[in-house]
mmCIF file of all heavy atoms in Angstrom:
data_model
loop_
_atom_site.group_PDB
_atom_site.id
_atom_site.type_symbol
_atom_site.label_atom_id
_atom_site.label_comp_id
_atom_site.label_asym_id
_atom_site.label_seq_id
_atom_site.Cartn_x
_atom_site.Cartn_y
_atom_site.Cartn_z
ATOM 1 N N GLN A 271 -25.737 -41.545 2.876
ATOM 2 C CA GLN A 271 -26.527 -42.783 2.869
ATOM 3 C C GLN A 271 -25.657 -44.020 3.115
ATOM 4 O O GLN A 271 -26.174 -45.124 3.255
ATOM 5 C CB GLN A 271 -27.189 -42.977 1.486
ATOM 6 C CG GLN A 271 -28.107 -41.862 1.055
ATOM 7 C CD GLN A 271 -29.298 -41.730 1.980
ATOM 8 O OE1 GLN A 271 -29.789 -42.723 2.509
ATOM 9 N NE2 GLN A 271 -29.716 -40.500 2.217
ATOM 10 N N CYS A 272 -24.358 -43.849 3.118
ATOM 11 C CA CYS A 272 -23.457 -44.994 3.086
ATOM 12 C C CYS A 272 -23.132 -45.473 4.500
ATOM 13 O O CYS A 272 -22.705 -44.661 5.344
ATOM 14 C CB CYS A 272 -22.194 -44.540 2.349
ATOM 15 S SG CYS A 272 -21.091 -45.859 2.036
ATOM 16 N N GLU A 273 -23.297 -46.767 4.750
ATOM 17 C CA GLU A 273 -23.122 -47.265 6.123
ATOM 18 C C GLU A 273 -21.672 -47.188 6.608
ATOM 19 O O GLU A 273 -21.405 -47.211 7.801
ATOM 20 C CB GLU A 273 -23.628 -48.710 6.222
ATOM 21 C CG GLU A 273 -22.834 -49.663 5.354
ATOM 22 C CD GLU A 273 -23.439 -51.058 5.316
ATOM 23 O OE1 GLU A 273 -24.520 -51.209 4.695
ATOM 24 O OE2 GLU A 273 -22.826 -51.964 5.897
ATOM 25 N N ASP A 274 -20.714 -47.100 5.669
ATOM 26 C CA ASP A 274 -19.298 -47.048 6.067
ATOM 27 C C ASP A 274 -18.854 -45.640 6.451
ATOM 28 O O ASP A 274 -17.713 -45.436 6.833
ATOM 29 C CB ASP A 274 -18.401 -47.488 4.904
ATOM 30 C CG ASP A 274 -18.839 -48.815 4.343
ATOM 31 O OD1 ASP A 274 -18.432 -49.827 4.915
ATOM 32 O OD2 ASP A 274 -19.617 -48.821 3.361
ATOM 33 N N VAL A 275 -19.747 -44.693 6.280
ATOM 34 C CA VAL A 275 -19.371 -43.295 6.506
ATOM 35 C C VAL A 275 -20.019 -42.826 7.804
ATOM 36 O O VAL A 275 -21.229 -42.948 7.973
ATOM 37 C CB VAL A 275 -19.834 -42.433 5.306
ATOM 38 C CG1 VAL A 275 -19.649 -40.953 5.587
ATOM 39 C CG2 VAL A 275 -19.059 -42.850 4.051
ATOM 40 N N VAL A 276 -19.187 -42.311 8.729
ATOM 41 C CA VAL A 276 -19.756 -41.909 10.024
ATOM 42 C C VAL A 276 -20.047 -40.410 10.104
ATOM 43 O O VAL A 276 -20.682 -39.950 11.050
ATOM 44 C CB VAL A 276 -18.843 -42.354 11.202
ATOM 45 C CG1 VAL A 276 -18.822 -43.868 11.314
ATOM 46 C CG2 VAL A 276 -17.428 -41.798 11.064
ATOM 47 N N GLY A 277 -19.599 -39.658 9.128
ATOM 48 C CA GLY A 277 -19.907 -38.224 9.141
ATOM 49 C C GLY A 277 -19.575 -37.595 7.799
ATOM 50 O O GLY A 277 -18.606 -37.986 7.153
ATOM 51 N N VAL A 278 -20.428 -36.671 7.365
ATOM 52 C CA VAL A 278 -20.172 -35.943 6.113
ATOM 53 C C VAL A 278 -20.356 -34.464 6.405
ATOM 54 O O VAL A 278 -21.328 -34.078 7.045
ATOM 55 C CB VAL A 278 -21.160 -36.355 4.988
ATOM 56 C CG1 VAL A 278 -20.784 -35.670 3.675
ATOM 57 C CG2 VAL A 278 -21.197 -37.860 4.813
ATOM 58 N N ARG A 279 -19.409 -33.665 5.954
ATOM 59 C CA ARG A 279 -19.537 -32.217 6.144
ATOM 60 C C ARG A 279 -19.676 -31.537 4.793
ATOM 61 O O ARG A 279 -18.780 -31.606 3.961
ATOM 62 C CB ARG A 279 -18.292 -31.670 6.838
ATOM 63 C CG ARG A 279 -18.150 -32.260 8.214
ATOM 64 C CD ARG A 279 -16.842 -31.859 8.797
ATOM 65 N NE ARG A 279 -16.604 -32.678 9.964
ATOM 66 C CZ ARG A 279 -16.072 -32.242 11.083
ATOM 67 N NH1 ARG A 279 -15.698 -30.984 11.190
ATOM 68 N NH2 ARG A 279 -15.894 -33.053 12.088
ATOM 69 N N HIS A 280 -20.824 -30.944 4.602
ATOM 70 C CA HIS A 280 -21.046 -30.142 3.396
ATOM 71 C C HIS A 280 -22.247 -29.238 3.662
ATOM 72 O O HIS A 280 -23.275 -29.694 4.182
ATOM 73 C CB HIS A 280 -21.303 -31.023 2.159
ATOM 74 C CG HIS A 280 -21.282 -30.218 0.893
ATOM 75 N ND1 HIS A 280 -22.415 -29.884 0.202
ATOM 76 C CD2 HIS A 280 -20.259 -29.640 0.224
ATOM 77 C CE1 HIS A 280 -22.085 -29.152 -0.861
ATOM 78 N NE2 HIS A 280 -20.784 -28.995 -0.861
ATOM 79 N N PRO A 281 -22.146 -27.963 3.302
ATOM 80 C CA PRO A 281 -23.237 -27.032 3.633
ATOM 81 C C PRO A 281 -24.569 -27.358 2.967
ATOM 82 O O PRO A 281 -25.588 -26.778 3.347
ATOM 83 C CB PRO A 281 -22.696 -25.677 3.135
ATOM 84 C CG PRO A 281 -21.208 -25.830 3.109
ATOM 85 C CD PRO A 281 -20.959 -27.273 2.765
ATOM 86 N N SER A 282 -24.613 -28.271 2.008
ATOM 87 C CA SER A 282 -25.892 -28.606 1.372
ATOM 88 C C SER A 282 -26.707 -29.586 2.215
ATOM 89 O O SER A 282 -27.897 -29.789 1.949
ATOM 90 C CB SER A 282 -25.644 -29.236 -0.003
ATOM 91 O OG SER A 282 -24.985 -30.476 0.166
ATOM 92 N N LEU A 283 -26.092 -30.219 3.215
ATOM 93 C CA LEU A 283 -26.783 -31.286 3.945
ATOM 94 C C LEU A 283 -27.746 -30.723 4.981
ATOM 95 O O LEU A 283 -27.446 -29.712 5.624
ATOM 96 C CB LEU A 283 -25.748 -32.194 4.625
ATOM 97 C CG LEU A 283 -24.854 -32.960 3.645
ATOM 98 C CD1 LEU A 283 -23.738 -33.685 4.386
ATOM 99 C CD2 LEU A 283 -25.677 -33.946 2.813
ATOM 100 N N PRO A 284 -28.885 -31.398 5.161
ATOM 101 C CA PRO A 284 -29.883 -30.870 6.106
ATOM 102 C C PRO A 284 -29.338 -30.746 7.522
ATOM 103 O O PRO A 284 -29.767 -29.867 8.268
ATOM 104 C CB PRO A 284 -31.021 -31.909 6.056
ATOM 105 C CG PRO A 284 -30.718 -32.808 4.907
ATOM 106 C CD PRO A 284 -29.309 -32.606 4.463
ATOM 107 N N ASP A 285 -28.372 -31.622 7.907
ATOM 108 C CA ASP A 285 -27.879 -31.545 9.288
ATOM 109 C C ASP A 285 -26.586 -30.723 9.387
ATOM 110 O O ASP A 285 -25.869 -30.809 10.383
ATOM 111 C CB ASP A 285 -27.660 -32.953 9.858
ATOM 112 C CG ASP A 285 -26.528 -33.677 9.145
ATOM 113 O OD1 ASP A 285 -26.104 -33.215 8.048
ATOM 114 O OD2 ASP A 285 -26.044 -34.698 9.672
ATOM 115 N N TYR A 286 -26.300 -29.910 8.374
ATOM 116 C CA TYR A 286 -25.089 -29.080 8.447
ATOM 117 C C TYR A 286 -25.195 -28.181 9.671
ATOM 118 O O TYR A 286 -26.153 -27.407 9.814
ATOM 119 C CB TYR A 286 -24.961 -28.237 7.168
ATOM 120 C CG TYR A 286 -23.725 -27.370 7.128
ATOM 121 C CD1 TYR A 286 -22.449 -27.933 7.152
ATOM 122 C CD2 TYR A 286 -23.819 -25.982 7.078
ATOM 123 C CE1 TYR A 286 -21.313 -27.139 7.117
ATOM 124 C CE2 TYR A 286 -22.688 -25.177 7.039
ATOM 125 C CZ TYR A 286 -21.442 -25.765 7.067
ATOM 126 O OH TYR A 286 -20.309 -24.979 7.031
ATOM 127 N N PRO A 287 -24.216 -28.256 10.596
ATOM 128 C CA PRO A 287 -24.387 -27.542 11.871
ATOM 129 C C PRO A 287 -24.410 -26.015 11.737
ATOM 130 O O PRO A 287 -24.865 -25.324 12.638
ATOM 131 C CB PRO A 287 -23.174 -28.005 12.704
ATOM 132 C CG PRO A 287 -22.276 -28.741 11.794
ATOM 133 C CD PRO A 287 -23.008 -29.084 10.536
ATOM 134 N N ARG A 288 -23.932 -25.492 10.612
ATOM 135 C CA ARG A 288 -23.869 -24.027 10.459
ATOM 136 C C ARG A 288 -24.957 -23.540 9.502
ATOM 137 O O ARG A 288 -24.762 -22.548 8.788
ATOM 138 C CB ARG A 288 -22.486 -23.625 9.947
ATOM 139 C CG ARG A 288 -21.338 -24.160 10.770
ATOM 140 C CD ARG A 288 -21.133 -23.403 12.049
ATOM 141 N NE ARG A 288 -20.604 -22.071 11.829
ATOM 142 C CZ ARG A 288 -20.731 -21.072 12.682
ATOM 143 N NH1 ARG A 288 -21.413 -21.244 13.795
ATOM 144 N NH2 ARG A 288 -20.203 -19.897 12.428
ATOM 145 N N ALA A 289 -26.107 -24.224 9.500
ATOM 146 C CA ALA A 289 -27.155 -23.909 8.523
ATOM 147 C C ALA A 289 -27.631 -22.463 8.631
ATOM 148 O O ALA A 289 -27.849 -21.785 7.619
ATOM 149 C CB ALA A 289 -28.329 -24.863 8.696
#
Side-chain angles (χ1 to χ4, degrees):
Q271 301 297 326
C272 188
E273 63 187 71
D274 308 276
V275 172
V276 293
V278 185
R279 297 172 193 220
H280 190 255
S282 65
L283 295 172
D285 67 345
Y286 181 62
R288 307 283 289 157

